Amino acid sequence: MSSLAGKTGLIVGVANKRSIAWAIAQAASAAGARVALTFQGERLEENVRDLAEGLTDPLVMPLDVTDDGQIARVFEEIDRGFGGLDFVVHGAAYATREDLSNPFTQTTREGFKMALDISAYSLIALSRGALPLMERKGGGSILTLTYLGSERVFQNYNVMGVAKAALESTVRYLAADLGPKKIRVNAISAGPIKTLASSGVSGFSSILQIYRDRAPLRRTVDTAEVAEAAVFLLSDAGRGVTAEVLMVDGGYHATGM
Ligand SMILES: NC(=O)c1ccc[n+]([C@@H]2O[C@H](COP(=O)([O-])OP(=O)(O)OC[C@H]3O[C@@H](n4cnc5c(N)ncnc54)[C@H](O)[C@@H]3O)[C@@H](O)[C@H]2O)c1
């Protein structure tokens, strides 16, 4: 497996042990990285602190990505704790339950703004915060998580599909902006996995079944498979890759009929 020895990273999006970001935190730590985990709100603090106990010398701090003050404090704390930053994993996404079950035409202005703010704009805000710390290390790697619903219609994915389209475009613009500073920006497009976030999508189990029936590998993926691909992109093994959306979905994206 690719090495992250001596590197430090910020991982946003751990809610519980099923979170994709948690699998990435474990894999990054196993590959030698020291990581900072964030939790969104007091509700998730205990979960994240418990999980972090299994890592080597982690930082743990609160972060709601809609709050610029909290974003600034996270990078101040990382600066004090790590003295620089090599990678960021962005695994935050949110849309209301109504917007993930109602007909798409019923998407509210408020719901649209919130989904795009939390799920797409936050990548820009985190990249901006990470920039001075990564410059100090001579470069870095930023990674986000997306889904094929950005390009194709999946029932009830709705406004989250629009947010993922914005997120993938954001990856390309950030990659162009930050590439001259040796900072790479990529996304992994994961196949469907049962998590807190995906359980908000009405009828999610039927999406899972379609992957079992039709993906070339006749299955979906698990969080460990996504995490190993993530470590590759975060590490020097991925040094030539930027502005990419890497499909880790059992090949489902290639299927027509
Ligand atoms: N599970 C899947 O099938 C799947 C497939 C492809 C992509 N993804 C993406 O992977 C990422 C991680 O999701 P997951 O499936 O592991 O679910 P998850 O529920 O474990 O993670 C989503 C995270 O977003 C965080 N979050 C939501 N609003 C936030 C806010 N305002 N500030 C900070 N954090 C906030 C939550 O606290 C949670 O930790 C998401 O971007 C999701 O869209 C998931």
PDB file of all heavy atoms in Angstrom, residues 7-40:
ATOM      1  N   LYS A   7       3.520  12.223   7.074  1.00  0.00           N
ATOM      2  CA  LYS A   7       2.572  13.246   6.593  1.00  0.00           C
ATOM      3  C   LYS A   7       1.485  13.508   7.637  1.00  0.00           C
ATOM      4  O   LYS A   7       1.167  12.658   8.462  1.00  0.00           O
ATOM      5  CB  LYS A   7       1.936  12.798   5.275  1.00  0.00           C
ATOM      6  CG  LYS A   7       2.937  12.733   4.110  1.00  0.00           C
ATOM      7  CD  LYS A   7       2.203  12.586   2.799  1.00  0.00           C
ATOM      8  CE  LYS A   7       3.133  12.269   1.639  1.00  0.00           C
ATOM      9  NZ  LYS A   7       3.957  13.405   1.225  1.00  0.00           N
ATOM     10  N   THR A   8       0.899  14.711   7.525  1.00  0.00           N
ATOM     11  CA  THR A   8      -0.207  15.067   8.410  1.00  0.00           C
ATOM     12  C   THR A   8      -1.426  15.424   7.555  1.00  0.00           C
ATOM     13  O   THR A   8      -1.291  15.986   6.460  1.00  0.00           O
ATOM     14  CB  THR A   8       0.152  16.292   9.278  1.00  0.00           C
ATOM     15  OG1 THR A   8       0.559  17.363   8.434  1.00  0.00           O
ATOM     16  CG2 THR A   8       1.249  15.966  10.262  1.00  0.00           C
ATOM     17  N   GLY A   9      -2.616  15.107   8.058  1.00  0.00           N
ATOM     18  CA  GLY A   9      -3.826  15.343   7.265  1.00  0.00           C
ATOM     19  C   GLY A   9      -5.009  15.743   8.112  1.00  0.00           C
ATOM     20  O   GLY A   9      -5.097  15.401   9.302  1.00  0.00           O
ATOM     21  N   LEU A  10      -5.904  16.471   7.471  1.00  0.00           N
ATOM     22  CA  LEU A  10      -7.192  16.830   8.080  1.00  0.00           C
ATOM     23  C   LEU A  10      -8.273  15.989   7.416  1.00  0.00           C
ATOM     24  O   LEU A  10      -8.347  15.931   6.183  1.00  0.00           O
ATOM     25  CB  LEU A  10      -7.483  18.320   7.825  1.00  0.00           C
ATOM     26  CG  LEU A  10      -8.919  18.787   8.089  1.00  0.00           C
ATOM     27  CD1 LEU A  10      -9.286  18.653   9.569  1.00  0.00           C
ATOM     28  CD2 LEU A  10      -9.100  20.236   7.621  1.00  0.00           C
ATOM     29  N   ILE A  11      -9.109  15.345   8.235  1.00  0.00           N
ATOM     30  CA  ILE A  11     -10.172  14.498   7.701  1.00  0.00           C
ATOM     31  C   ILE A  11     -11.514  14.989   8.249  1.00  0.00           C
ATOM     32  O   ILE A  11     -11.777  14.934   9.447  1.00  0.00           O
ATOM     33  CB  ILE A  11      -9.919  13.014   8.037  1.00  0.00           C
ATOM     34  CG1 ILE A  11      -8.587  12.591   7.389  1.00  0.00           C
ATOM     35  CG2 ILE A  11     -11.078  12.137   7.564  1.00  0.00           C
ATOM     36  CD1 ILE A  11      -8.222  11.140   7.525  1.00  0.00           C
ATOM     37  N   VAL A  12     -12.341  15.479   7.346  1.00  0.00           N
ATOM     38  CA  VAL A  12     -13.648  16.050   7.696  1.00  0.00           C
ATOM     39  C   VAL A  12     -14.738  15.091   7.203  1.00  0.00           C
ATOM     40  O   VAL A  12     -14.708  14.675   6.039  1.00  0.00           O
ATOM     41  CB  VAL A  12     -13.821  17.430   7.008  1.00  0.00           C
ATOM     42  CG1 VAL A  12     -15.220  17.996   7.257  1.00  0.00           C
ATOM     43  CG2 VAL A  12     -12.755  18.402   7.483  1.00  0.00           C
ATOM     44  N   GLY A  13     -15.680  14.752   8.084  1.00  0.00           N
ATOM     45  CA  GLY A  13     -16.800  13.916   7.620  1.00  0.00           C
ATOM     46  C   GLY A  13     -16.952  12.605   8.362  1.00  0.00           C
ATOM     47  O   GLY A  13     -17.691  11.726   7.927  1.00  0.00           O
ATOM     48  N   VAL A  14     -16.265  12.457   9.502  1.00  0.00           N
ATOM     49  CA  VAL A  14     -16.471  11.248  10.304  1.00  0.00           C
ATOM     50  C   VAL A  14     -17.699  11.470  11.191  1.00  0.00           C
ATOM     51  O   VAL A  14     -17.745  12.415  11.981  1.00  0.00           O
ATOM     52  CB  VAL A  14     -15.247  10.910  11.185  1.00  0.00           C
ATOM     53  CG1 VAL A  14     -15.520   9.654  12.022  1.00  0.00           C
ATOM     54  CG2 VAL A  14     -14.000  10.724  10.332  1.00  0.00           C
ATOM     55  N   ALA A  15     -18.692  10.607  11.041  1.00  0.00           N
ATOM     56  CA  ALA A  15     -19.868  10.647  11.915  1.00  0.00           C
ATOM     57  C   ALA A  15     -19.865   9.420  12.819  1.00  0.00           C
ATOM     58  O   ALA A  15     -20.144   9.504  14.011  1.00  0.00           O
ATOM     59  CB  ALA A  15     -21.146  10.687  11.090  1.00  0.00           C
ATOM     60  N   ASN A  16     -19.532   8.264  12.256  1.00  0.00           N
ATOM     61  CA  ASN A  16     -19.535   7.006  13.004  1.00  0.00           C
ATOM     62  C   ASN A  16     -18.644   5.994  12.288  1.00  0.00           C
ATOM     63  O   ASN A  16     -17.991   6.340  11.300  1.00  0.00           O
ATOM     64  CB  ASN A  16     -20.978   6.482  13.174  1.00  0.00           C
ATOM     65  CG  ASN A  16     -21.657   6.335  11.820  1.00  0.00           C
ATOM     66  OD1 ASN A  16     -21.038   5.919  10.848  1.00  0.00           O
ATOM     67  ND2 ASN A  16     -22.929   6.705  11.739  1.00  0.00           N
ATOM     68  N   LYS A  17     -18.670   4.724  12.762  1.00  0.00           N
ATOM     69  CA  LYS A  17     -17.709   3.769  12.201  1.00  0.00           C
ATOM     70  C   LYS A  17     -18.056   3.348  10.766  1.00  0.00           C
ATOM     71  O   LYS A  17     -17.227   2.754  10.084  1.00  0.00           O
ATOM     72  CB  LYS A  17     -17.541   2.568  13.123  1.00  0.00           C
ATOM     73  CG  LYS A  17     -18.757   1.711  13.357  1.00  0.00           C
ATOM     74  CD  LYS A  17     -18.342   0.569  14.277  1.00  0.00           C
ATOM     75  CE  LYS A  17     -19.376  -0.450  14.652  1.00  0.00           C
ATOM     76  NZ  LYS A  17     -20.749  -0.339  14.297  1.00  0.00           N
ATOM     77  N   ARG A  18     -19.266   3.675  10.322  1.00  0.00           N
ATOM     78  CA  ARG A  18     -19.621   3.361   8.933  1.00  0.00           C
ATOM     79  C   ARG A  18     -19.190   4.441   7.949  1.00  0.00           C
ATOM     80  O   ARG A  18     -19.277   4.260   6.733  1.00  0.00           O
ATOM     81  CB  ARG A  18     -21.144   3.225   8.803  1.00  0.00           C
ATOM     82  CG  ARG A  18     -21.712   2.004   9.459  1.00  0.00           C
ATOM     83  CD  ARG A  18     -23.239   2.120   9.509  1.00  0.00           C
ATOM     84  NE  ARG A  18     -23.828   0.892   9.949  1.00  0.00           N
ATOM     85  CZ  ARG A  18     -24.403  -0.002   9.150  1.00  0.00           C
ATOM     86  NH1 ARG A  18     -24.479   0.225   7.855  1.00  0.00           N
ATOM     87  NH2 ARG A  18     -24.918  -1.097   9.628  1.00  0.00           N
ATOM     88  N   SER A  19     -18.781   5.602   8.457  1.00  0.00           N
ATOM     89  CA  SER A  19     -18.436   6.725   7.573  1.00  0.00           C
ATOM     90  C   SER A  19     -17.270   6.374   6.660  1.00  0.00           C
ATOM     91  O   SER A  19     -16.269   5.793   7.113  1.00  0.00           O
ATOM     92  CB  SER A  19     -18.016   7.942   8.407  1.00  0.00           C
ATOM     93  OG  SER A  19     -19.081   8.406   9.199  1.00  0.00           O
ATOM     94  N   ILE A  20     -17.380   6.786   5.394  1.00  0.00           N
ATOM     95  CA  ILE A  20     -16.266   6.577   4.461  1.00  0.00           C
ATOM     96  C   ILE A  20     -15.029   7.311   5.001  1.00  0.00           C
ATOM     97  O   ILE A  20     -13.915   6.808   4.939  1.00  0.00           O
ATOM     98  CB  ILE A  20     -16.641   7.066   3.051  1.00  0.00           C
ATOM     99  CG1 ILE A  20     -17.849   6.274   2.503  1.00  0.00           C
ATOM    100  CG2 ILE A  20     -15.464   6.943   2.102  1.00  0.00           C
ATOM    101  CD1 ILE A  20     -18.399   6.786   1.179  1.00  0.00           C
ATOM    102  N   ALA A  21     -15.243   8.514   5.549  1.00  0.00           N
ATOM    103  CA  ALA A  21     -14.115   9.298   6.071  1.00  0.00           C
ATOM    104  C   ALA A  21     -13.412   8.561   7.219  1.00  0.00           C
ATOM    105  O   ALA A  21     -12.202   8.702   7.399  1.00  0.00           O
ATOM    106  CB  ALA A  21     -14.597  10.675   6.535  1.00  0.00           C
ATOM    107  N   TRP A  22     -14.154   7.767   7.993  1.00  0.00           N
ATOM    108  CA  TRP A  22     -13.521   7.011   9.071  1.00  0.00           C
ATOM    109  C   TRP A  22     -12.607   5.923   8.499  1.00  0.00           C
ATOM    110  O   TRP A  22     -11.483   5.715   8.974  1.00  0.00           O
ATOM    111  CB  TRP A  22     -14.564   6.426  10.028  1.00  0.00           C
ATOM    112  CG  TRP A  22     -13.962   5.455  11.008  1.00  0.00           C
ATOM    113  CD1 TRP A  22     -14.276   4.140  11.167  1.00  0.00           C
ATOM    114  CD2 TRP A  22     -12.892   5.727  11.945  1.00  0.00           C
ATOM    115  NE1 TRP A  22     -13.485   3.579  12.130  1.00  0.00           N
ATOM    116  CE2 TRP A  22     -12.627   4.520  12.624  1.00  0.00           C
ATOM    117  CE3 TRP A  22     -12.149   6.855  12.246  1.00  0.00           C
ATOM    118  CZ2 TRP A  22     -11.645   4.423  13.600  1.00  0.00           C
ATOM    119  CZ3 TRP A  22     -11.151   6.761  13.217  1.00  0.00           C
ATOM    120  CH2 TRP A  22     -10.915   5.551  13.897  1.00  0.00           C
ATOM    121  N   ALA A  23     -13.072   5.238   7.451  1.00  0.00           N
ATOM    122  CA  ALA A  23     -12.228   4.214   6.816  1.00  0.00           C
ATOM    123  C   ALA A  23     -10.966   4.867   6.255  1.00  0.00           C
ATOM    124  O   ALA A  23      -9.868   4.308   6.338  1.00  0.00           O
ATOM    125  CB  ALA A  23     -13.004   3.514   5.695  1.00  0.00           C
ATOM    126  N   ILE A  24     -11.108   6.082   5.711  1.00  0.00           N
ATOM    127  CA  ILE A  24      -9.933   6.785   5.177  1.00  0.00           C
ATOM    128  C   ILE A  24      -8.994   7.173   6.329  1.00  0.00           C
ATOM    129  O   ILE A  24      -7.770   7.035   6.211  1.00  0.00           O
ATOM    130  CB  ILE A  24     -10.358   8.014   4.340  1.00  0.00           C
ATOM    131  CG1 ILE A  24     -11.170   7.560   3.113  1.00  0.00           C
ATOM    132  CG2 ILE A  24      -9.128   8.820   3.899  1.00  0.00           C
ATOM    133  CD1 ILE A  24     -11.753   8.703   2.271  1.00  0.00           C
ATOM    134  N   ALA A  25      -9.553   7.617   7.446  1.00  0.00           N
ATOM    135  CA  ALA A  25      -8.726   7.971   8.600  1.00  0.00           C
ATOM    136  C   ALA A  25      -7.918   6.757   9.072  1.00  0.00           C
ATOM    137  O   ALA A  25      -6.720   6.860   9.350  1.00  0.00           O
ATOM    138  CB  ALA A  25      -9.600   8.506   9.732  1.00  0.00           C
ATOM    139  N   GLN A  26      -8.576   5.607   9.136  1.00  0.00           N
ATOM    140  CA  GLN A  26      -7.879   4.392   9.573  1.00  0.00           C
ATOM    141  C   GLN A  26      -6.771   4.000   8.598  1.00  0.00           C
ATOM    142  O   GLN A  26      -5.655   3.664   8.999  1.00  0.00           O
ATOM    143  CB  GLN A  26      -8.868   3.232   9.683  1.00  0.00           C
ATOM    144  CG  GLN A  26      -9.789   3.325  10.876  1.00  0.00           C
ATOM    145  CD  GLN A  26     -10.751   2.157  10.881  1.00  0.00           C
ATOM    146  OE1 GLN A  26     -11.566   2.002   9.974  1.00  0.00           O
ATOM    147  NE2 GLN A  26     -10.638   1.323  11.887  1.00  0.00           N
ATOM    148  N   ALA A  27      -7.111   4.055   7.295  1.00  0.00           N
ATOM    149  CA  ALA A  27      -6.125   3.653   6.284  1.00  0.00           C
ATOM    150  C   ALA A  27      -4.959   4.641   6.250  1.00  0.00           C
ATOM    151  O   ALA A  27      -3.802   4.236   6.109  1.00  0.00           O
ATOM    152  CB  ALA A  27      -6.791   3.554   4.904  1.00  0.00           C
ATOM    153  N   ALA A  28      -5.264   5.932   6.394  1.00  0.00           N
ATOM    154  CA  ALA A  28      -4.205   6.949   6.369  1.00  0.00           C
ATOM    155  C   ALA A  28      -3.286   6.762   7.575  1.00  0.00           C
ATOM    156  O   ALA A  28      -2.063   6.851   7.467  1.00  0.00           O
ATOM    157  CB  ALA A  28      -4.814   8.347   6.362  1.00  0.00           C
ATOM    158  N   SER A  29      -3.887   6.480   8.723  1.00  0.00           N
ATOM    159  CA  SER A  29      -3.111   6.272   9.934  1.00  0.00           C
ATOM    160  C   SER A  29      -2.251   5.011   9.784  1.00  0.00           C
ATOM    161  O   SER A  29      -1.058   5.022  10.116  1.00  0.00           O
ATOM    162  CB  SER A  29      -4.085   6.157  11.106  1.00  0.00           C
ATOM    163  OG  SER A  29      -3.412   5.988  12.289  1.00  0.00           O
ATOM    164  N   ALA A  30      -2.826   3.955   9.240  1.00  0.00           N
ATOM    165  CA  ALA A  30      -2.061   2.713   9.030  1.00  0.00           C
ATOM    166  C   ALA A  30      -0.916   2.941   8.053  1.00  0.00           C
ATOM    167  O   ALA A  30       0.121   2.280   8.140  1.00  0.00           O
ATOM    168  CB  ALA A  30      -2.983   1.605   8.521  1.00  0.00           C
ATOM    169  N   ALA A  31      -1.099   3.889   7.124  1.00  0.00           N
ATOM    170  CA  ALA A  31      -0.045   4.184   6.142  1.00  0.00           C
ATOM    171  C   ALA A  31       0.990   5.163   6.707  1.00  0.00           C
ATOM    172  O   ALA A  31       1.898   5.591   5.991  1.00  0.00           O
ATOM    173  CB  ALA A  31      -0.664   4.745   4.861  1.00  0.00           C
ATOM    174  N   GLY A  32       0.822   5.562   7.975  1.00  0.00           N
ATOM    175  CA  GLY A  32       1.870   6.345   8.640  1.00  0.00           C
ATOM    176  C   GLY A  32       1.539   7.800   8.895  1.00  0.00           C
ATOM    177  O   GLY A  32       2.370   8.538   9.438  1.00  0.00           O
ATOM    178  N   ALA A  33       0.317   8.236   8.532  1.00  0.00           N
ATOM    179  CA  ALA A  33      -0.026   9.655   8.702  1.00  0.00           C
ATOM    180  C   ALA A  33      -0.501   9.942  10.120  1.00  0.00           C
ATOM    181  O   ALA A  33      -1.055   9.073  10.797  1.00  0.00           O
ATOM    182  CB  ALA A  33      -1.110  10.050   7.716  1.00  0.00           C
ATOM    183  N   ARG A  34      -0.313  11.195  10.526  1.00  0.00           N
ATOM    184  CA  ARG A  34      -0.937  11.691  11.757  1.00  0.00           C
ATOM    185  C   ARG A  34      -2.117  12.547  11.310  1.00  0.00           C
ATOM    186  O   ARG A  34      -1.963  13.416  10.433  1.00  0.00           O
ATOM    187  CB  ARG A  34       0.083  12.512  12.537  1.00  0.00           C
ATOM    188  CG  ARG A  34      -0.428  12.857  13.908  1.00  0.00           C
ATOM    189  CD  ARG A  34       0.603  13.582  14.736  1.00  0.00           C
ATOM    190  NE  ARG A  34      -0.103  14.151  15.872  1.00  0.00           N
ATOM    191  CZ  ARG A  34       0.275  15.228  16.529  1.00  0.00           C
ATOM    192  NH1 ARG A  34       1.367  15.864  16.187  1.00  0.00           N
ATOM    193  NH2 ARG A  34      -0.454  15.686  17.529  1.00  0.00           N
ATOM    194  N   VAL A  35      -3.300  12.298  11.860  1.00  0.00           N
ATOM    195  CA  VAL A  35      -4.483  12.981  11.338  1.00  0.00           C
ATOM    196  C   VAL A  35      -5.224  13.803  12.386  1.00  0.00           C
ATOM    197  O   VAL A  35      -5.174  13.523  13.587  1.00  0.00           O
ATOM    198  CB  VAL A  35      -5.485  11.989  10.669  1.00  0.00           C
ATOM    199  CG1 VAL A  35      -4.830  11.260   9.502  1.00  0.00           C
ATOM    200  CG2 VAL A  35      -6.077  11.021  11.663  1.00  0.00           C
ATOM    201  N   ALA A  36      -5.921  14.820  11.873  1.00  0.00           N
ATOM    202  CA  ALA A  36      -6.867  15.608  12.664  1.00  0.00           C
ATOM    203  C   ALA A  36      -8.262  15.230  12.184  1.00  0.00           C
ATOM    204  O   ALA A  36      -8.533  15.234  10.979  1.00  0.00           O
ATOM    205  CB  ALA A  36      -6.614  17.096  12.442  1.00  0.00           C
ATOM    206  N   LEU A  37      -9.130  14.875  13.127  1.00  0.00           N
ATOM    207  CA  LEU A  37     -10.523  14.558  12.789  1.00  0.00           C
ATOM    208  C   LEU A  37     -11.408  15.688  13.289  1.00  0.00           C
ATOM    209  O   LEU A  37     -11.132  16.278  14.337  1.00  0.00           O
ATOM    210  CB  LEU A  37     -10.987  13.281  13.487  1.00  0.00           C
ATOM    211  CG  LEU A  37     -10.254  11.977  13.212  1.00  0.00           C
ATOM    212  CD1 LEU A  37     -10.961  10.839  13.955  1.00  0.00           C
ATOM    213  CD2 LEU A  37     -10.213  11.679  11.722  1.00  0.00           C
ATOM    214  N   THR A  38     -12.489  15.950  12.564  1.00  0.00           N
ATOM    215  CA  THR A  38     -13.451  16.934  13.058  1.00  0.00           C
ATOM    216  C   THR A  38     -14.802  16.253  13.263  1.00  0.00           C
ATOM    217  O   THR A  38     -15.098  15.224  12.662  1.00  0.00           O
ATOM    218  CB  THR A  38     -13.622  18.107  12.073  1.00  0.00           C
ATOM    219  OG1 THR A  38     -14.202  17.620  10.862  1.00  0.00           O
ATOM    220  CG2 THR A  38     -12.295  18.791  11.775  1.00  0.00           C
ATOM    221  N   PHE A  39     -15.589  16.832  14.143  1.00  0.00           N
ATOM    222  CA  PHE A  39     -16.955  16.341  14.358  1.00  0.00           C
ATOM    223  C   PHE A  39     -17.909  17.514  14.201  1.00  0.00           C
ATOM    224  O   PHE A  39     -17.561  18.663  14.537  1.00  0.00           O
ATOM    225  CB  PHE A  39     -17.107  15.678  15.735  1.00  0.00           C
ATOM    226  CG  PHE A  39     -16.742  16.583  16.883  1.00  0.00           C
ATOM    227  CD1 PHE A  39     -17.697  17.413  17.461  1.00  0.00           C
ATOM    228  CD2 PHE A  39     -15.449  16.615  17.366  1.00  0.00           C
ATOM    229  CE1 PHE A  39     -17.359  18.256  18.510  1.00  0.00           C
ATOM    230  CE2 PHE A  39     -15.099  17.459  18.423  1.00  0.00           C
ATOM    231  CZ  PHE A  39     -16.062  18.285  18.988  1.00  0.00           C
ATOM    232  N   GLN A  40     -19.087  17.205  13.652  1.00  0.00           N
ATOM    233  CA  GLN A  40     -20.070  18.256  13.422  1.00  0.00           C
ATOM    234  C   GLN A  40     -21.072  18.264  14.568  1.00  0.00           C
ATOM    235  O   GLN A  40     -21.953  17.420  14.645  1.00  0.00           O
ATOM    236  CB  GLN A  40     -20.804  17.985  12.090  1.00  0.00           C
ATOM    237  CG  GLN A  40     -21.864  19.003  11.766  1.00  0.00           C
ATOM    238  CD  GLN A  40     -23.034  18.381  11.030  1.00  0.00           C
ATOM    239  OE1 GLN A  40     -23.051  17.179  10.761  1.00  0.00           O
ATOM    240  NE2 GLN A  40     -24.016  19.184  10.709  1.00  0.00           N
TER     241      GLN A  40
END
